[in-house]
């Protein structure tokens, strides 16, 4: 097993632990900077979903962490207001 695949499966496990048993991570489908997007299965509604997560650098200054968190929540807020057949619904 390569270092990359072991990192990926470790990352999947961390995300799955945070999501409890509702979602099963299937694959990493994207990401840039501090965010990652995963393809997952919703075990309750039995459908495929996308899950976006943010990873913070625990050693970054508190002000930088707060700025990144604010940006992430702003993106969620703005995206949740969009309605189009080619845009997924946020939950």
């Amino acid at each position: 097993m390569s270092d990359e695949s072991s990192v990926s499966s470790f990352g999947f496990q961390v995300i799955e632990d945070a999501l409890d048993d509702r979602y099963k991570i299937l694959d990493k489908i994207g990401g840039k900077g501090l965010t990652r997007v995963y393809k997952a299965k919703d075990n309750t509604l039995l459908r495929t979903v996308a899950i976006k997560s943010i990873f913070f650098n625990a050693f970054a200054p508190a002000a930088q962490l707060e700025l990144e968190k604010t940006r992430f929540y702003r993106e969620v807020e703005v995206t949740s207001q969009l309605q189009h057949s080619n845009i997924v619904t946020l939950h």
Side-chain angles (χ1 to χ4, degrees):
M1 181 180 278
S2 72
D3 288 340
E4 185 176 322
S5 63
S6 61
V7 169
S8 293
S9 61
F10 172 75
F12 286 5
Q13 189 60 51
V14 169
I15 297 297
E16 285 183 344
D17 289 349
L19 297 172
D20 205 16
D21 293 328
R22 170 130 189 211
Y23 301 96
K24 171 72 176 161
I25 302 296
L26 304 174
D27 197 10
K28 178 182 168 188
I29 56 176
K32 183 176 178 183
L34 299 176
T35 62
R36 303 292 180 271
V37 180
Y38 299 95
K39 177 181 178 181
K41 179 182 177 189
D42 181 329
N43 292 319
T44 301
L45 300 177
L46 303 176
R47 64 181 179 176
T48 301
V49 298
I51 296 175
K52 186 171 188 177
S53 62
I54 187 167
F55 294 92
F56 293 107
N57 177 351
F59 301 104
Q64 181 181 348
L65 292 174
E66 193 59 37
L67 177 63
E68 294 299 334
K69 189 167 89 173
T70 300
R71 287 179 178 163
F72 183 78
Y73 283 119
R74 186 177 328 127
E75 179 183 342
V76 170
E77 181 182 340
V78 169
T79 307
S80 70
Q81 295 173 20
L82 299 174
Q83 294 183 347
H84 188 276
S85 60
N86 293 333
I87 300 175
V88 298
T89 303
L90 293 178
H91 298 280

